[in-house]
Amino acid sequence: MTANLPAGFEALEPFVANWAGRTAADRAALRGAYPPAERAAFHAACAPLIERGLRQLDAKPLRDLDEGERRLLDLFLTYAHVSLAIDVQASDEDRHRPLREAMRVTRAPVDF
Amino acid sequence: MAGQATAFSPVSQSHLDWLGTDPIPAEPYYDPAFYELERQAVFLKSWIEVGHVCELPDSGSFIRREIEFAKASILIVRGKDGTIRAFHNVCTHRGTQLVEAEAGRQSTFSCPYHMWTFGTDGGLISAPDFGQFHVAKEDCSLPKVAVEVCAGLIFINFADRPPPLREWLGDLADRLDTLLVARATAFHEYVYEIDANWKLTYDNFQENYHLRFIHPRSGGAGTGPENPFGYPVRYGFHGQHRTQTIWSNASAPPPPPAAMLAYAAAGRAAAVNGLGVNDAKDYIALFPNFFLFGSPVQHFSHVIMPIDATRSRGVIRIYWIGEDTSASESFAREFLMATARDIHAEDRAVIEAGQKGLSSGALKNIHFQTQEVLCRHLYQQVAAAVERHQAENAR
Ligand code: FES
Ligand SMILES: [Fe+2]
């Protein structure tokens, strides 16, 4: 069995199954899909890796990313939403979620 | 004084006295009879933004738009000659809706009912057993709707002889041409339905008085100790249209790391695209129902389409130049879309609460303070259009 993610990002392997959303709408929904503790664990695992991860992925044009690299990027893109939950809304996140559900994401420039 | 931050002072009422200070009648914000007047006097006579040229990249590319205020389905098509045309999505045989798809690319459009087939220029190309009819093909073209483009934005107008779009936009037309949207090739979009009058909805996005109460977390640098309500630096009035230049708190605490990463990548992309910061803090409000935020890193449009007197639909698009080229750019775009969506989500709920109160009829008037002057200006422009319309009809 091959690894799901590029070498160096093993710490994120446990999150691939639940957090690697394939479209912007999926990722927006993932932000509120799991218990807060799981979301916090995902955030804590991603935060120290994202800067290095994006720099590494930037070495290739987007369309040339292999499957594992693409999955890593999907995790980071979900992290964009999760960061808003944890770093911005914080204790208001539960109250914020139903407000957000009314705003349907209908298009994104690149939905793989 | 050198080294000292200039204290913020809000635009003074004396500059805005010309707009008056009277209370505003509440009824136009819920009354179906007033909405019917607006429909005729404003929406069926104004240029209404419905899309962007990047949605019509090739000849035969089309989009379909449902325009509730006109009870119309509109087909916007790029023809073989490259020209963008708009038609009612109505077969000229017996009225059947021609196209069901929301968007696509076709060289002809065939009606499902009896297979009349139209070209991208709206002309009837063929119809089975046409010899049995008593009409010429030339008289069976799809009914046209006026369509024009400025800065990549597609506007339609249901009036018989509308003024040219650029004339309608006045001095804002040239300004729009310099903004990111004029060169955009891609966008994020999110859409919401709202149980609220279109003006009540629109007004929320042209006053900052609510920021600190409705966006306590997401408001970020929008407010600060020297400007606790985040009032704008400047207002601009351009005929029926208006602008505001937003203030931001230069000494706000830094945003979270994800935001820093996103702003850095978005800033790099803006620099590569040679986008200046001239209009970076300007909201451009085009009469009646369209906004554009000038920021080169989070360049968004927001259109509020009325459905009836107390229901509307909002469409927000964040425009980008080029496809995502790198992981960092994808991250920046997604983050900036998500932050805008968070803020708009907070607004939507409180606007609906406002509609509940207004629709009860409990209030005769509502009140706009000095720093809600753009809301006042919108109401006055709508009321004036309605009056003109009534005067024309009385003649
Ligand atoms: S109604 Fe369209 S072909 Fe008859
Ligand atoms: Fe708001």
Side-chain angles (χ1 to χ4, degrees):
Chain A
M1 212 186 90
T2 53
N4 279 318
L5 295 171
F9 297 93
E10 291 77 8
L12 296 178
E13 292 282 353
F15 300 98
V16 168
N18 284 356
W19 295 93
R22 293 318 294 251
T23 68
D26 291 346
R27 293 185 288 264
L30 285 177
R31 169 172 168 184
Y34 301 106
E38 264 181 65
R39 181 171 60 217
F42 172 62
H43 181 273
C46 255
L49 293 173
I50 183 164
E51 202 168 342
R52 173 165 66 83
L54 286 176
R55 211 181 313 124
Q56 187 171 322
L57 294 174
D58 280 350
K60 274 191 193 179
L62 204 55
R63 64 170 64 87
D64 298 341
L65 298 187
D66 65 30
E67 216 178 300
E69 291 165 332
R70 180 67 229 180
R71 212 170 279 124
L72 181 63
L73 177 55
D74 285 339
L75 285 173
F76 289 155
L77 295 178
T78 305
Y79 174 78
H81 298 269
V82 168
S83 164
L84 291 171
I86 291 187
D87 300 321
V88 179
Q89 294 298 336
S91 60
D92 284 345
E93 174 64 8
D94 278 352
R95 195 189 55 79
H96 196 268
R97 183 184 153 188
L99 308 183
R100 223 163 44 229
E101 277 166 2
M103 319 300 277
R104 291 175 288 115
V105 177
T106 45
R107 180 147 166 164
V110 192
D111 272 347
F112 288 85
Chain B
M1 260 174 282
Q4 199 178 323
T6 2
F8 173 81
S9 59
V11 177
S12 94
Q13 174 59 34
S14 63
H15 290 110
L16 305 167
D17 278 342
W18 61 282
L19 284 154
T21 55
D22 287 347
I24 301 293
E27 215 173 50
Y29 295 82
Y30 64 86
D31 178 27
F34 191 85
Y35 173 65
E36 178 55 25
L37 288 170
E38 286 178 324
R39 215 173 60 76
Q40 295 176 27
V42 175
F43 284 93
L44 293 175
K45 288 187 176 172
S46 298
W47 284 103
I48 303 293
E49 195 269 354
V50 293
H52 190 276
V53 292
C54 71
E55 295 172 90
L56 303 172
D58 307 304
S59 82
S61 296
F62 71 90
I63 48 178
R64 175 175 59 77
R65 291 286 189 267
E66 298 308 299
I67 312 289
E68 287 87 350
F69 69 73
K71 301 184 179 77
S73 174
I74 302 297
L75 210 51
I76 303 160
V77 187
R78 190 183 287 279
K80 283 205 183 80
D81 55 359
T83 304
I84 292 174
R85 297 180 181 84
F87 310 104
H88 283 275
N89 181 20
V90 171
C91 174
T92 49
H93 174 215
R94 275 163 52 196
T96 306
Q97 292 243 295
L98 204 54
V99 174
E100 228 182 291
E102 264 181 59
R105 188 180 174 200
Q106 287 172 209
S107 54
T108 57
F109 299 93
S110 292
C111 177
Y113 206 168
H114 316 92
M115 274 298 149
W116 280 30
T117 295
F118 301 86
T120 56
D121 62 353
L124 177 61
I125 297 175
S126 65
D129 207 12
F130 195 68
Q132 299 278 349
F133 279 93
H134 318 284
V135 63
K137 276 194 187 151
E138 298 71 52
D139 297 330
C140 296
S141 296
L142 297 175
K144 275 193 173 161
V145 175
V147 60
E148 287 191 39
V149 172
C150 178
L153 297 164
I154 302 171
F155 295 77
I156 60 172
N157 194 317
F158 289 92
D160 286 336
R161 272 176 320 233
L165 173 63
R166 293 190 79 88
E167 190 179 295
W168 165 269
L169 295 170
D171 62 334
L172 294 175
D174 287 346
R175 203 152 139 201
L176 290 169
D177 282 337
T178 67
L179 300 179
L180 187 157
V181 72
R183 292 155 56 200
T185 61
F187 56 90
H188 278 93
E189 181 187 83
Y190 51 90
V191 177
Y192 63 92
E193 270 77 40
I194 183 166
D195 287 336
N197 177 266
W198 72 274
K199 295 187 297 308
L200 187 72
T201 308
Y202 194 86
D203 280 350
N204 174 80
F205 303 101
Q206 53 178 355
E207 59 89 351
N208 299 352
Y209 186 29
H210 73 274
L211 294 186
R212 59 182 303 181
F213 309 111
I214 299 304
H215 309 297
R217 302 276 192 178
S218 60
T223 60
E226 52 172 322
N227 184 5
F229 296 100
Y231 292 143
V233 172
R234 200 174 316 116
Y235 300 111
F237 298 93
H238 305 255
Q240 294 188 287
H241 317 297
R242 67 205 78 86
T243 60
Q244 63 165 307
T245 304
I246 59 162
W247 177 87
S248 53
N249 181 9
S251 44
M260 300 289 268
L261 276 175
Y263 292 137
R268 284 195 300 274
V272 166
N273 288 313
L275 291 163
V277 292
N278 273 349
D279 298 275
K281 299 203 165 173
D282 290 354
Y283 272 92
I284 297 178
L286 300 181
F287 186 78
N289 64 337
F290 177 83
F291 287 110
L292 186 70
F293 184 40
S295 163
V297 296
Q298 196 180 37
H299 190 72
F300 71 84
S301 69
H302 187 169
V303 60
I304 292 148
M305 284 290 193
I307 295 172
D308 62 29
T310 55
R311 281 191 309 149
S312 308
R313 179 178 56 252
V315 179
I316 291 119
R317 288 176 164 196
I318 302 103
Y319 282 103
W320 312 111
I321 296 176
E323 294 298 317
D324 299 17
T325 51
S326 69
S328 286
E329 190 168 35
S330 278
F331 179 80
R333 289 177 173 189
E334 185 124 346
F335 184 85
L336 291 161
M337 180 276 287
T339 53
R341 177 173 173 263
D342 267 26
I343 296 170
H344 287 132
E346 291 163 6
D347 291 311
R348 184 184 164 280
V350 77
I351 300 166
E352 284 194 338
Q355 190 63 53
K356 282 216 175 104
L358 287 171
S359 290
S360 74
L363 299 183
K364 250 194 160 51
N365 292 301
I366 57 172
H367 303 279
F368 292 136
Q369 58 125 314
T370 298
Q371 308 304 330
E372 292 174 300
V373 69
L374 300 183
C375 309
R376 180 180 294 280
H377 183 259
L378 172 64
Y379 171 72
Q380 291 180 351
Q381 292 303 318
V382 168
V386 165
E387 268 170 44
R388 281 196 302 275
H389 173 78
Q390 286 175 317
E392 278 165 28
N393 284 7
R395 258 190 258 135

PDB file of all heavy atoms in Angstrom, chain B residues 78-89:
ATOM      1  N   ARG B  78     -23.034  33.924 -26.656  1.00  0.00           N
ATOM      2  CA  ARG B  78     -22.004  34.503 -27.525  1.00  0.00           C
ATOM      3  C   ARG B  78     -22.179  33.905 -28.918  1.00  0.00           C
ATOM      4  O   ARG B  78     -22.132  32.698 -29.095  1.00  0.00           O
ATOM      5  CB  ARG B  78     -20.598  34.231 -26.988  1.00  0.00           C
ATOM      6  CG  ARG B  78     -19.545  35.031 -27.750  1.00  0.00           C
ATOM      7  CD  ARG B  78     -18.127  34.737 -27.290  1.00  0.00           C
ATOM      8  NE  ARG B  78     -17.781  35.304 -25.996  1.00  0.00           N
ATOM      9  CZ  ARG B  78     -17.418  36.566 -25.782  1.00  0.00           C
ATOM     10  NH1 ARG B  78     -17.382  37.419 -26.778  1.00  0.00           N
ATOM     11  NH2 ARG B  78     -17.101  36.975 -24.574  1.00  0.00           N
ATOM     12  N   GLY B  79     -22.414  34.759 -29.882  1.00  0.00           N
ATOM     13  CA  GLY B  79     -22.696  34.295 -31.235  1.00  0.00           C
ATOM     14  C   GLY B  79     -21.448  33.865 -31.992  1.00  0.00           C
ATOM     15  O   GLY B  79     -20.325  34.041 -31.518  1.00  0.00           O
ATOM     16  N   LYS B  80     -21.662  33.310 -33.177  1.00  0.00           N
ATOM     17  CA  LYS B  80     -20.556  32.903 -34.058  1.00  0.00           C
ATOM     18  C   LYS B  80     -19.649  34.089 -34.360  1.00  0.00           C
ATOM     19  O   LYS B  80     -18.450  33.933 -34.557  1.00  0.00           O
ATOM     20  CB  LYS B  80     -21.122  32.375 -35.382  1.00  0.00           C
ATOM     21  CG  LYS B  80     -21.685  30.981 -35.295  1.00  0.00           C
ATOM     22  CD  LYS B  80     -21.654  30.313 -36.685  1.00  0.00           C
ATOM     23  CE  LYS B  80     -22.279  28.926 -36.670  1.00  0.00           C
ATOM     24  NZ  LYS B  80     -23.765  28.979 -36.729  1.00  0.00           N
ATOM     25  N   ASP B  81     -20.259  35.286 -34.399  1.00  0.00           N
ATOM     26  CA  ASP B  81     -19.500  36.501 -34.695  1.00  0.00           C
ATOM     27  C   ASP B  81     -18.833  37.085 -33.451  1.00  0.00           C
ATOM     28  O   ASP B  81     -18.248  38.168 -33.502  1.00  0.00           O
ATOM     29  CB  ASP B  81     -20.446  37.556 -35.303  1.00  0.00           C
ATOM     30  CG  ASP B  81     -21.647  37.836 -34.407  1.00  0.00           C
ATOM     31  OD1 ASP B  81     -21.760  37.199 -33.331  1.00  0.00           O
ATOM     32  OD2 ASP B  81     -22.474  38.696 -34.776  1.00  0.00           O
ATOM     33  N   GLY B  82     -18.946  36.389 -32.319  1.00  0.00           N
ATOM     34  CA  GLY B  82     -18.318  36.868 -31.088  1.00  0.00           C
ATOM     35  C   GLY B  82     -19.188  37.810 -30.273  1.00  0.00           C
ATOM     36  O   GLY B  82     -18.887  38.100 -29.120  1.00  0.00           O
ATOM     37  N   THR B  83     -20.273  38.288 -30.874  1.00  0.00           N
ATOM     38  CA  THR B  83     -21.145  39.244 -30.181  1.00  0.00           C
ATOM     39  C   THR B  83     -21.976  38.553 -29.104  1.00  0.00           C
ATOM     40  O   THR B  83     -22.460  37.435 -29.309  1.00  0.00           O
ATOM     41  CB  THR B  83     -22.106  39.894 -31.208  1.00  0.00           C
ATOM     42  OG1 THR B  83     -21.307  40.485 -32.240  1.00  0.00           O
ATOM     43  CG2 THR B  83     -22.981  40.956 -30.565  1.00  0.00           C
ATOM     44  N   ILE B  84     -22.113  39.234 -27.975  1.00  0.00           N
ATOM     45  CA  ILE B  84     -22.972  38.714 -26.912  1.00  0.00           C
ATOM     46  C   ILE B  84     -24.377  39.273 -27.094  1.00  0.00           C
ATOM     47  O   ILE B  84     -24.563  40.484 -27.221  1.00  0.00           O
ATOM     48  CB  ILE B  84     -22.390  39.089 -25.529  1.00  0.00           C
ATOM     49  CG1 ILE B  84     -21.072  38.336 -25.304  1.00  0.00           C
ATOM     50  CG2 ILE B  84     -23.392  38.780 -24.413  1.00  0.00           C
ATOM     51  CD1 ILE B  84     -20.327  38.736 -24.046  1.00  0.00           C
ATOM     52  N   ARG B  85     -25.360  38.377 -27.135  1.00  0.00           N
ATOM     53  CA  ARG B  85     -26.760  38.780 -27.291  1.00  0.00           C
ATOM     54  C   ARG B  85     -27.593  38.174 -26.166  1.00  0.00           C
ATOM     55  O   ARG B  85     -27.224  37.154 -25.600  1.00  0.00           O
ATOM     56  CB  ARG B  85     -27.316  38.289 -28.637  1.00  0.00           C
ATOM     57  CG  ARG B  85     -26.619  38.878 -29.854  1.00  0.00           C
ATOM     58  CD  ARG B  85     -27.232  38.324 -31.144  1.00  0.00           C
ATOM     59  NE  ARG B  85     -26.564  38.871 -32.330  1.00  0.00           N
ATOM     60  CZ  ARG B  85     -25.437  38.367 -32.833  1.00  0.00           C
ATOM     61  NH1 ARG B  85     -24.860  37.314 -32.284  1.00  0.00           N
ATOM     62  NH2 ARG B  85     -24.896  38.924 -33.902  1.00  0.00           N
ATOM     63  N   ALA B  86     -28.706  38.819 -25.875  1.00  0.00           N
ATOM     64  CA  ALA B  86     -29.620  38.278 -24.860  1.00  0.00           C
ATOM     65  C   ALA B  86     -31.000  38.124 -25.471  1.00  0.00           C
ATOM     66  O   ALA B  86     -31.456  38.984 -26.225  1.00  0.00           O
ATOM     67  CB  ALA B  86     -29.677  39.205 -23.655  1.00  0.00           C
ATOM     68  N   PHE B  87     -31.625  36.994 -25.142  1.00  0.00           N
ATOM     69  CA  PHE B  87     -32.960  36.695 -25.670  1.00  0.00           C
ATOM     70  C   PHE B  87     -33.843  36.180 -24.537  1.00  0.00           C
ATOM     71  O   PHE B  87     -33.346  35.603 -23.570  1.00  0.00           O
ATOM     72  CB  PHE B  87     -32.892  35.563 -26.717  1.00  0.00           C
ATOM     73  CG  PHE B  87     -31.868  35.760 -27.777  1.00  0.00           C
ATOM     74  CD1 PHE B  87     -30.671  35.044 -27.757  1.00  0.00           C
ATOM     75  CD2 PHE B  87     -32.099  36.656 -28.809  1.00  0.00           C
ATOM     76  CE1 PHE B  87     -29.724  35.221 -28.738  1.00  0.00           C
ATOM     77  CE2 PHE B  87     -31.146  36.842 -29.802  1.00  0.00           C
ATOM     78  CZ  PHE B  87     -29.950  36.129 -29.766  1.00  0.00           C
ATOM     79  N   HIS B  88     -35.130  36.361 -24.724  1.00  0.00           N
ATOM     80  CA  HIS B  88     -36.049  35.609 -23.873  1.00  0.00           C
ATOM     81  C   HIS B  88     -35.911  34.131 -24.235  1.00  0.00           C
ATOM     82  O   HIS B  88     -35.852  33.783 -25.418  1.00  0.00           O
ATOM     83  CB  HIS B  88     -37.489  36.084 -24.101  1.00  0.00           C
ATOM     84  CG  HIS B  88     -37.779  37.383 -23.417  1.00  0.00           C
ATOM     85  ND1 HIS B  88     -38.167  37.436 -22.104  1.00  0.00           N
ATOM     86  CD2 HIS B  88     -37.710  38.655 -23.857  1.00  0.00           C
ATOM     87  CE1 HIS B  88     -38.345  38.704 -21.751  1.00  0.00           C
ATOM     88  NE2 HIS B  88     -38.060  39.474 -22.797  1.00  0.00           N
ATOM     89  N   ASN B  89     -35.870  33.306 -23.218  1.00  0.00           N
ATOM     90  CA  ASN B  89     -35.717  31.865 -23.404  1.00  0.00           C
ATOM     91  C   ASN B  89     -37.094  31.267 -23.717  1.00  0.00           C
ATOM     92  O   ASN B  89     -37.642  30.484 -22.953  1.00  0.00           O
ATOM     93  CB  ASN B  89     -35.123  31.286 -22.098  1.00  0.00           C
ATOM     94  CG  ASN B  89     -34.883  29.795 -22.165  1.00  0.00           C
ATOM     95  OD1 ASN B  89     -34.788  29.222 -23.246  1.00  0.00           O
ATOM     96  ND2 ASN B  89     -34.796  29.170 -20.986  1.00  0.00           N
TER      97      ASN B  89
END
